[in-house]
Amino acid sequence: MKTTIRRWVETDTGHRIPNHKVKCCNLHGHRYRWEAEVEGDTVTEEGVSDEGMVIDFADINRILTEHVHDVIDHAFVVWEGDETTLRALKEMGPEHHTVMVPFIPTAENLARWAFEQVAPHIKSIYGNSMRLAAMHVWETPKSCATYRI
Ligand SMILES: [Zn+2]
């Protein structure tokens, strides 16, 4: 039996789905919620800070902040093949926070991206089989994509 815990950070991030049949082809943004789900055994080592935990929530928060929030907050995420948007963003000048990615920035693809950003940093020193089990990306309060391995 494993225990899972979740912690999230939020960002304000712009994107565009260039081929979308309705409104998502417009430049727009979301208040994204990036929710990491970590699985493992609870730490049994007596007297350590993490005793009884899978991982300290503060540690997940630090990892999410550094590898997701600080990369993508108040940025515009653009697919490297979206030449129209890339031209427009170039007009914004070199100070504009643009994040170019090799995929169309749907919630599904962003969930995989965030998983790959975070997973290498979820490590245990207690041998409690801890790992990042999933990344849930909330694009709106009613729309969530999950990447899970
Ligand atoms: Zn959108």
Side-chain angles (χ1 to χ4, degrees), residues 13-17 23-24 26 28-30 32 105 107 139-140:
T13 303
H15 80 156
R16 172 176 112 94
I17 310 300
K23 57 188 180 180
C24 292
N26 296 307
H28 68 284
H30 298 279
Y32 283 96
E139 197 172 74
T140 75

Side-chain angles (χ1 to χ4, degrees), residues 4-5 20 24 32 37 44 54 62 76 80-81 91 94 113 120 126:
T4 62
I5 63 167
H20 191 252
C24 292
Y32 283 96
E37 180 181 328
T44 54
V54 173
R62 179 179 44 76
F76 196 95
E80 64 189 11
E91 284 295 312
W113 171 83
Y126 299 110

Side-chain angles (χ1 to χ4, degrees), residues 74-86:
H74 283 77
F76 196 95
V77 180
V78 58
W79 169 44
E80 64 189 11
D82 185 354
E83 290 174 16
T84 307
T85 302
L86 283 171

Side-chain angles (χ1 to χ4, degrees), residues 29-143:
H30 298 279
R31 178 75 176 180
Y32 283 96
R33 186 165 103 186
W34 309 87
E35 186 175 325
E37 180 181 328
V38 178
E39 175 189 274
D41 300 316
T42 51
V43 172
T44 54
E45 193 169 327
E46 288 181 19
V48 299
S49 175
D50 288 7
E51 183 179 1
M53 302 175 184
V54 173
I55 181 176
D56 194 322
F57 287 118
D59 289 336
I60 305 181
N61 186 58
R62 179 179 44 76
I63 293 164
L64 283 169
T65 298
E66 184 176 342
H67 299 284
V68 176
H69 178 276
D70 292 354
V71 175
I72 217 166
D73 185 51
H74 283 77
F76 196 95
V77 180
V78 58
W79 169 44
E80 64 189 11
D82 185 354
E83 290 174 16
T84 307
T85 302
L86 283 171
R87 271 199 306 277
L89 291 170
K90 199 171 177 188
E91 284 295 312
M92 299 294 291
E95 299 299 313
H96 188 265
H97 191 175
T98 299
V99 176
M100 193 161 59
V101 292
F103 52 81
I104 293 173
T106 58
E108 292 87 337
N109 286 337
L110 288 169
R112 180 175 181 159
W113 171 83
F115 187 99
E116 290 169 351
Q117 291 284 109
V118 170
H121 305 285
I122 302 286
K123 296 180 205 143
S124 177
I125 57 171
Y126 299 110
N128 61 329
S129 305
M130 184 181 74
R131 68 184 186 101
L132 182 63
M135 180 65 71
H136 310 277
V137 176
W138 293 84
E139 197 172 74
T140 75
K142 295 190 283 188
S143 307

